[in-house]
Amino acid sequence: MKKGVNKVPLKLRQDCKYGLAAPTSMGVRITPPNGAPVHTSNTYYMQATSAESNAVNVSASLGVKGLVLTNFVEGSPISQFIKSELRRRNIDYIGPDLPQGGPWGYRHQFNIADSGFGARGPRVHNDRAGEVGRALNPEDFDFHAIFGEDGAQILHLSGLVAALSPEATAFCVSAARSAKEHGSRLSFDLNYRASFWKGREEELRKSFAEITGMADILIGNEEDYQLCLGIEGPGAGGGNLAAQLDAFKDMIGSVRSAYPGVSVFGNTLRQVVSAGEHLWGAITLYDDRWTTIEPRPIRVLDRIGGGDGFTGGLLYGILSGMEPEKATQFAWASGALATTVLEDYASPADEAMVWSIYEGNARVVR
């Protein structure tokens, strides 16, 4: 890791093996080629995926060692595939291989999703029965070794994993406490999912509030803040996003008042024109400075993972000591980069690729 002190107030531990670590539940996504819909397709592209590893991937692609904490299924070829893909992407993994328990036991989740085309929007079907990540258990992980001996500059948590099961919720809270005790910064992407919260609203609201109270970096949208934390926002979806920027800033200000320990707030802005064209923007509050990128058109090959790319780009900017405005720009462009590939993660060849996207320069590089 780079030595020295960051240029911005969010100082990071420098004696760390890992830049980013993230609890996750790894799975696979299968996608029909050429934008075809799932229900008429018989050919699929398969990738290893999770929202959290997607966020780690930006930094890992740029040379910052990443780590995921996850469960695997013993003897599973899907587990083998996932491990191989993580190694290829410069991401280490720690976690037990749990016995499958028979044909109806544990397995990795399947995300079955098409990319959409033109006026036909993408459709996503999550098949998570028996998901091995729901059994995440702090007793299977040596948090002192991970956060105290190896060290991680930032622990990144997602509300997807934090709400996956009561066991996964407890795991994320324990990991956050241990990371903070050992001097790591904590990033939390709220990532609200109604189906995960059903019947657990009171329990999850309490756990999410505890994690947010420890967070240094908080990422979400208007729905996330309202439904996870009870902070009123401008309303989800629709309308002219550019005209709502002041309302988004007011919402983030309310979250900051409720959670004064948070130093960085990130919020993506997306308006869908068609499956292949979005208006993409962002707001951050970082070091008491607002940075706003008003929504502007981007071409989209596959929209899934754009938010994870934004998160990964913002975390890379923080790890690299970028000034707040630059970190926000890099985040915006990393999210846009993720939408130009079928994979739901951004893998920049170098920083220059990301900056070219922000600058609108798509000229050939020879």
Side-chain angles (χ1 to χ4, degrees):
M1 303 305 302
K2 296 179 180 179
K3 301 296 181 182
V5 178
N6 282 19
K7 300 174 184 177
V8 292
L10 192 61
K11 294 184 174 65
L12 305 173
R13 276 184 62 185
Q14 299 299 310
D15 57 338
C16 295
K17 179 178 180 179
Y18 298 107
L20 281 176
T24 192
S25 178
M26 295 298 303
V28 293
R29 176 187 172 192
I30 57 174
T31 308
N34 303 317
V38 169
H39 72 284
T40 62
S41 298
N42 58 16
T43 303
Y44 292 84
Y45 166 82
M46 187 169 80
Q47 65 176 86
T49 188
S50 75
E52 301 75 33
S53 62
N54 291 350
V56 172
N57 201 78
V58 175
S59 294
S61 297
L62 296 171
V64 179
K65 194 68 175 175
L67 172 69
V68 293
L69 314 177
T70 192
N71 289 343
F72 297 97
V73 179
E74 186 176 45
S76 165
I78 300 298
S79 284
Q80 282 186 298
F81 173 77
I82 291 170
K83 290 177 180 179
S84 176
E85 285 294 290
L86 290 172
R87 288 192 295 266
R88 180 182 67 81
R89 290 158 56 183
N90 195 34
I91 300 174
D92 286 354
Y93 52 83
I94 295 174
D97 290 279
L98 301 180
Q100 182 184 12
W104 295 273
Y106 287 132
R107 65 181 175 89
H108 291 276
Q109 57 149 319
F110 267 73
N111 180 279
I112 307 166
D114 64 58
S115 303
F117 189 86
R120 175 174 52 82
R123 289 193 171 192
V124 179
H125 178 75
N126 287 303
D127 187 354
R128 311 188 77 133
E131 183 172 351
V132 70
R134 300 185 75 241
L136 282 167
N137 186 338
E139 295 182 3
D140 292 330
F141 297 79
D142 186 344
F143 286 153
H144 175 74
I146 294 168
F147 299 116
E149 297 173 11
D150 287 341
Q153 291 183 296
I154 298 175
L155 174 67
H156 175 63
L157 295 177
S158 163
L160 293 175
V161 175
L164 195 58
S165 67
E167 293 80 6
T169 303
F171 180 89
C172 287
V173 171
S174 295
R177 290 171 180 167
S178 180
K180 294 294 287 187
E181 287 171 5
H182 288 98
S184 299
R185 296 293 188 174
L186 180 63
S187 166
F188 190 27
D189 187 348
L190 292 168
N191 255 332
Y192 175 83
R193 292 293 185 276
S195 58
F196 289 16
W197 279 64
K198 188 175 181 179
R200 299 182 62 207
E201 290 84 358
E202 184 176 349
E203 168 202 351
L204 287 174
R205 181 69 64 84
K206 181 179 179 181
S207 295
F208 273 54
E210 180 177 354
I211 295 172
T212 304
M214 293 185 277
D216 302 282
I217 304 155
L218 190 62
I219 299 165
N221 60 32
E222 68 283 358
E223 182 181 46
D224 292 336
Y225 290 127
Q226 180 171 330
L227 297 175
C228 293
L229 304 176
I231 305 293
E232 290 190 11
N240 186 334
L241 290 176
Q244 298 183 53
L245 291 178
D246 287 341
F248 280 101
K249 289 181 178 180
D250 289 343
M251 174 188 66
I252 293 173
S254 297
V255 180
R256 188 184 190 194
S257 296
Y259 297 95
V262 179
S263 299
V264 182
F265 294 86
N267 196 115
T268 58
L269 305 170
R270 187 200 303 261
Q271 188 170 338
V272 176
V273 179
S274 70
E277 183 180 358
H278 295 176
L279 302 180
W280 180 243
I283 299 174
T284 64
L285 176 60
Y286 184 3
D287 186 26
D288 291 324
R289 285 186 271 178
W290 288 103
T291 301
T292 300
I293 301 175
E294 293 200 9
R296 68 194 215 203
I298 61 170
R299 294 294 299 275
V300 175
L301 179 63
D302 186 296
R303 68 163 284 163
I304 298 175
D308 299 331
F310 172 87
T311 297
L314 182 62
L315 294 177
Y316 177 78
I318 292 169
L319 288 167
S320 301
M322 293 181 188
E323 292 293 324
E325 183 178 18
K326 290 293 185 182
T328 306
Q329 293 168 352
F330 198 89
W332 179 93
S334 295
L337 172 61
T339 70
T340 68
V341 294
L342 283 180
E343 293 93 351
D344 51 18
Y345 51 84
S347 300
D350 48 36
E351 287 189 14
M353 177 179 284
V354 180
W355 288 120
S356 291
I357 290 173
Y358 180 75
E359 293 160 4
N361 176 18
R363 293 178 63 85
V364 64
V365 176
R366 300 185 188 277

